Amino acid sequence: MTAKNHLGGLKFKAQFDLWGNSLPRSELDWVVKLRHESMAKFLQFGLPGPKVEAWKYTNLGQLNSGNYELITSADNVVNEMGLLENLKGSKVIFTDGFYNKASSTIESQNGVKLLSLNDYLKDFPEAAQKILNKNDDDSSLQSLNTALMTGGYVLFVDKNTTLTAPIQILHNTTTSSENKSIATKCFIDVQENSFAQIVEIFIGADEQNYWRHHVTEAIVSENAVLEIYQIQEEGKKAIHTADTHVDVGQRANFKHYSLNLGGKISRTEIKPTLKGLQANVDLRGAFLGRNGNAHDVFTHMKHLCPEGTSDQIYRGVLDKGGKSSFQGKVYVAKDAQLTNADQSNKNLILDRNAEANSKPELLIYADDVKCSHGATVGELDADALYYLKSRGLDQNAATALLVEAFVSEVYEEIKLEPLRSKYLELALNWLSKEHKK
Amino acid sequence: MLEIKNLHVEVGGQKILKGLNLNINDGEVHAIMGPNGAGKSTLSYAICGKPGYEITEGSVTFKGKNFLELEASERAGEGVFLGFQYPVEIPGVSNINFLRAAINSVRKYRNEGELAAGDFLKLIRSKAAELEMDPEMLKRAVNVGFSGGEKKRNEMVQMSMLDPIFAVLDETDSGLDIDALRIVADGINRMRCPEKSILVITHYQRLLDYVVPDFVHVLANGKIVKSGDKSLAIRLEKEGYAGLGIEENVA
Ligand SMILES: Nc1ncnc2c1ncn2[C@@H]1O[C@H](COP(=O)(O)OP(=O)(O)OP(=O)(O)O)[C@@H](O)[C@H]1O
Ligand SMILES: [Mg+2]
């Protein structure tokens, strides 16, 4: 039954049989039906194994063999761990994958609808069925996510509306997350000429072993802008998979920033489809790994229309025991003439016992396009290091300054000042943690 | 201040310095001249602890301390400054952040507290002005896209910020236009005092007209082969190394 090179994933089926009916909104028949259909779809394929090309650097064997239990409810106690201060705007908090109403604050604005997924399923069943059903899953993990979803959010931004402040989404955990799979899902729809920014933080404790699986489906309509800023600081033992699928319309603009720091395994998938003339996508991210962190960034940029532009900049810093991979796939359809697609992935290796993989893949069917890609793996520049030391900086301070410069390139265009400095602060903290060892 | 005895240095398996002796007392300015490839920069790196410069024999003592035991950063902390022949470009690190990190590192080494932000800015502005450097350049990445002369001037700004007690200036005069040479020479002369010493490495007599040395040495084939006062530099300029009976490097 399992597809070639996939793992069975039967333990999730067993868990679903036991607890599926206790998942949120089981009182709604259509939700229960959708969950069952999605579980069946998942089982047709199973979990992608390491022999599947796109997963060759990320081994989900642990998900298949481990007995990850479902989590069916959570305490609605205040838990703001990980929330960014000095950012105005709505704050939506998910604790162990459930909407934490007690900790959240939703500011209302004309033309903006922001609500928890479970409220949406109940209060707008028709619209909800529409988006969930049209959801043509492109991976078995996405089907599993639909089968097991515990919560999430829905954001609608009407035409000609500019969000007055970024929306902060925080995903944190409690000790109840031990040995659990946490599936969250969200939908974002930014209508014509509108503007939205989302800051999304994933955080967990080092003690707990959990799998967080987060799926984002987004639409950015004509002339609209959507910016997503992710920070991933999961616990040491966690598996983190975050998939973002986004349709980008005519002259629309999608930006995705990420920083991956935590987790035993992290996988960030971003799949933008440029569906309108002159659509623009910028992807930026850094991943910092050591001591058993394995970070994997997988992007699939689909240029379907003419004159689209996409630009990807990813930087990896790998220290002792850290591992990473960047796979950047760019597809340019026959009709997508005058596409401009760039991609750059540079990796810095701080220790011999570290690994960085980089694999660009270009599939270009139009003849008049400009596409570039560059990938490097290297060590710190010895001359620069010595120059700094000759001015009094010790090994740690010199390394920190050079790594900061290497990483800061990713975030330098961010206009939200508290966020840009947060990214840099986290990167620097990561470095100084190393020095304490 | 600095005592170098029988120094042997190998780089990439090549013997470059072969028993060099040099003594520099407090308050003295020494100049080293010598043919290309003689080992002048090698000497400066050996004094300042560059990895890859293997000391196979001899000693370097600074203010009574065995300098060879110290890391490059510790040598800077002790008050030694190296003006690079080829200053390094560091993309992504602004000059001003670099200088702040440098100054605070050195202060930390000396158990002094960090310089307050305002004091730091005041200091850097005055030093940049002294060396007639456009303050805009402080915001730019270290040496990235700087012209040859701008890089050398930047070295001097760093030197005056760090206020060393001993400076090795490796061809700091190369690549400077006539006005810049004067500005840099003034910068070097400002450092001169009974407690501080300077070693300038140069190919040209011209710098020595402005920065008058107490001693001039000729380094060839890995050793000091001739020493004298400032008149030695003048003779060299006129007669060349061959005229003084000094062989060009035989590699
Ligand atoms: N990594 C290396 N491997 C082998 N030889 C090296 C290495 N680095 C330097 N050398 C050699 O060491 C010798 C001395 O070099 P050094 O830079 O000290 O000369 P210099 O006297 O400063 O010359 P210049 O006047 O041209 O600046 C040169 O012959 C150079 O080629
Ligand atoms: Mg030299």
Side-chain angles (χ1 to χ4, degrees):
Chain A
M1 207 161 78
T2 310
K4 188 164 176 267
N5 294 334
H6 280 61
L7 313 166
L10 291 174
K11 291 190 173 161
F12 288 102
K13 160 85 166 111
Q15 278 292 315
F16 185 69
D17 288 345
L18 276 174
W19 302 108
N21 286 336
S22 313
L23 286 168
R25 294 293 170 245
S26 297
E27 74 277 13
L28 302 176
D29 288 345
W30 72 270
V31 173
V32 173
K33 186 164 164 261
L34 176 70
R35 288 188 190 276
H36 278 89
E37 285 167 2
S38 298
M39 182 46 85
K41 241 196 246 176
F42 164 69
L43 290 169
Q44 275 173 27
F45 292 93
L47 294 161
K51 282 189 181 155
V52 175
E53 188 58 24
W55 288 87
K56 86 180 199 197
Y57 301 110
T58 301
N59 191 340
L60 294 182
Q62 182 184 333
L63 283 186
N64 194 49
S65 56
N67 222 341
Y68 284 87
E69 294 164 6
L70 299 194
I71 185 160
T72 53
S73 67
D75 295 337
N76 200 5
V77 293
V78 173
N79 183 346
E80 296 181 340
M81 181 185 69
L83 205 61
L84 290 192
E85 291 141 27
N86 44 8
L87 264 193
K88 287 186 204 122
S90 296
K91 290 164 186 70
V92 185
I93 300 183
F94 296 92
T95 299
D96 297 333
F98 285 80
Y99 174 52
N100 185 332
K101 201 169 185 172
S103 311
S104 301
T105 44
I106 294 188
E107 291 172 9
S108 60
Q109 184 187 341
N110 268 344
V112 178
K113 193 151 77 180
L114 173 62
L115 66 171
S116 120
L117 177 69
N118 291 332
D119 289 346
Y120 185 64
L121 297 179
K122 182 170 71 100
D123 299 338
F124 302 89
E126 271 167 36
Q129 279 183 68
K130 234 188 238 164
I131 46 174
L132 276 157
N133 286 328
K134 89 157 183 56
N135 193 12
D136 44 352
D137 302 356
D138 81 339
S139 77
S140 56
L141 283 177
Q142 218 181 323
S143 304
L144 184 60
N145 182 271
T146 307
L148 305 183
M149 60 190 178
T150 52
Y153 66 94
V154 179
L155 170 68
F156 292 104
V157 183
D158 264 357
K159 268 188 245 185
N160 306 318
T161 306
T162 294
L163 276 189
T164 49
I167 295 172
Q168 193 175 166
I169 313 282
L170 171 67
H171 300 262
N172 60 20
T173 58
T174 67
T175 50
S176 314
S177 66
E178 175 56 24
N179 205 39
K180 298 293 193 309
S181 75
I182 297 169
T184 47
K185 201 188 249 328
C186 63
F187 294 94
I188 302 166
D189 187 348
V190 187
Q191 294 287 310
E192 284 141 62
N193 299 315
S194 292
F195 178 90
Q197 290 175 314
I198 289 169
V199 177
E200 196 154 35
I201 298 151
F202 304 91
I203 192 164
D206 283 340
E207 292 72 34
Q208 269 82 50
N209 166 34
Y210 56 90
W211 173 33
R212 187 193 313 280
H213 186 204
H214 182 66
V215 172
T216 304
E217 305 275 350
I219 298 170
V220 195
S221 296
E222 203 174 319
N223 275 319
V225 176
L226 171 63
E227 300 178 359
I228 296 180
Y229 298 90
Q230 292 185 333
I231 294 172
Q232 186 273 100
E233 285 190 282
E234 303 280 16
K236 257 191 220 155
K237 298 185 197 163
I239 296 181
H240 169 95
T241 54
D243 307 344
T244 302
H245 304 251
V246 55
D247 287 348
V248 188
Q250 187 164 317
R251 280 186 279 277
N253 206 311
F254 174 69
K255 279 191 186 7
H256 187 284
Y257 280 86
S258 59
L259 174 62
N260 276 295
L261 294 168
K264 182 176 171 195
I265 295 173
S266 89
R267 165 99 167 181
T268 303
E269 282 191 17
I270 308 162
K271 297 176 174 170
T273 306
L274 290 81
K275 285 196 166 165
L277 192 74
Q278 295 177 358
N280 172 252
V281 175
D282 292 309
L283 307 182
R284 302 276 184 272
F287 34 88
L288 315 182
R290 72 159 74 89
N291 276 342
N293 300 130
H295 297 306
D296 183 351
V297 172
F298 183 96
T299 65
H300 189 174
M301 191 74 68
K302 279 178 254 178
H303 283 270
L304 301 186
C305 285
E307 297 176 41
T309 50
S310 65
D311 186 30
Q312 307 185 46
I313 299 178
Y314 283 91
R315 297 288 178 262
V317 181
L318 290 310
D319 197 3
K320 193 174 179 178
K323 196 182 144 184
S324 76
S325 75
F326 171 78
Q327 298 182 79
K329 201 165 162 177
V330 175
Y331 168 84
V332 182
K334 205 165 155 228
D335 295 333
Q337 297 294 0
L338 298 172
T339 286
N340 202 332
D342 296 321
Q343 186 186 93
S344 146
N345 168 227
K346 291 186 191 164
N347 298 286
L348 202 50
I349 300 284
L350 299 180
D351 188 276
R352 240 177 276 165
N353 198 349
E355 182 186 325
N357 301 282
S358 192
K359 191 180 146 235
E361 190 182 345
L362 306 182
L363 301 163
I364 299 171
Y365 299 99
D367 47 27
D368 190 7
V369 301
K370 267 196 229 148
C371 294
S372 75
H373 64 91
T376 61
V377 177
E379 295 172 5
L380 282 174
D381 177 10
D383 285 334
L385 208 51
Y386 175 64
Y387 192 65
L388 296 177
K389 286 187 189 171
S390 78
R391 299 300 182 247
L393 281 78
D394 62 18
Q395 176 77 23
N396 291 343
T399 303
L401 202 60
L402 292 178
V403 173
E404 184 190 0
F406 180 77
V407 171
S408 63
E409 195 188 342
V410 170
Y411 304 109
E412 68 192 4
E413 292 159 8
I414 297 178
K415 290 195 187 72
L416 284 169
E417 213 296 308
L419 197 56
R420 187 179 62 240
S421 35
K422 185 68 188 180
Y423 274 122
L424 291 180
E425 181 196 315
L426 288 170
L428 281 180
N429 281 350
W430 180 87
L431 274 167
S432 57
K433 259 188 228 158
E434 161 199 45
H435 299 149
K436 270 185 238 139
K437 273 188 319 197
Chain B
M1 166 134 357
L2 182 74
E3 199 180 350
I4 299 175
K5 274 197 191 140
N6 189 31
L7 188 65
H8 287 69
V9 179
E10 285 185 17
V11 189
Q14 294 268 104
K15 291 188 166 70
I16 308 297
L17 296 186
K18 303 162 193 166
L20 183 141
N21 294 295
L22 182 66
N23 234 323
I24 299 178
N25 295 313
D26 291 2
E28 291 176 356
V29 174
H30 290 232
I32 288 189
M33 305 180 84
N36 293 132
K40 302 181 297 296
S41 295
T42 302
L43 173 64
S44 73
Y45 288 143
I47 296 172
C48 297
K50 185 169 182 176
Y53 287 74
E54 199 193 337
I55 318 289
T56 52
E57 232 185 296
S59 65
V60 176
T61 313
F62 181 73
K63 296 241 160 201
K65 275 190 191 150
N66 175 4
F67 227 36
L68 300 179
E69 281 177 348
L70 301 184
E71 291 282 328
S73 57
E74 295 170 325
R75 298 184 201 199
E78 293 291 334
V80 172
F81 179 85
L82 170 59
F84 283 60
Q85 183 177 358
Y86 304 109
V88 180
E89 300 190 359
I90 310 185
V93 178
S94 73
N95 237 341
I96 197 156
N97 280 348
F98 163 58
L99 278 168
R100 186 179 294 125
I103 249 185
N104 285 327
S105 294
V106 166
R107 292 178 70 97
K108 190 172 147 197
Y109 183 83
R110 297 172 190 160
N111 291 321
E112 295 164 4
E114 286 202 354
L115 205 57
D119 294 343
F120 170 77
L121 287 175
K122 233 181 268 165
L123 185 66
I124 193 167
R125 274 198 213 108
S126 78
K127 297 298 182 189
E130 256 174 30
L131 288 149
E132 297 183 27
M133 182 199 248
D134 181 355
E136 279 303 302
M137 298 193 77
L138 296 169
K139 293 184 201 153
R140 282 169 55 182
V142 180
N143 294 326
V144 177
F146 285 29
S147 75
E150 287 167 347
K151 283 181 182 168
K152 295 301 173 72
R153 210 183 285 213
N154 200 23
E155 294 290 288
M156 294 304 296
V157 171
Q158 292 172 34
M159 181 177 90
S160 62
M161 286 293 288
L162 291 171
D163 191 23
I165 43 180
F166 176 63
V168 188
L169 301 173
D170 191 356
E171 296 198 25
T172 303
D173 54 335
S174 306
L176 294 176
D177 65 43
I178 298 159
D179 293 340
L181 184 68
R182 264 261 280 301
I183 295 163
V184 164
D186 289 347
I188 300 173
N189 284 330
R190 264 195 299 276
M191 178 179 160
R192 280 184 101 153
C193 68
E195 298 80 36
K196 294 181 174 183
S197 311
I198 301 167
L199 175 61
V200 293
I201 295 171
T202 182
H203 286 297
Y204 309 107
Q205 156 63 24
R206 216 177 49 195
L207 173 73
L208 305 181
D209 285 340
Y210 297 116
V211 181
V212 181
D214 300 302
F215 298 92
V216 174
H217 311 276
V218 178
L219 200 170
N221 288 316
K223 284 183 186 172
I224 303 287
V225 293
K226 213 170 182 68
S227 297
D229 61 12
K230 62 185 179 187
S231 64
L232 178 57
I234 298 167
R235 273 184 65 202
L236 267 176
E237 181 102 339
K238 270 201 205 118
E239 299 170 35
Y241 293 108
L244 286 183
I246 295 160
E247 281 178 62
E248 286 283 333
N249 258 15
V250 272

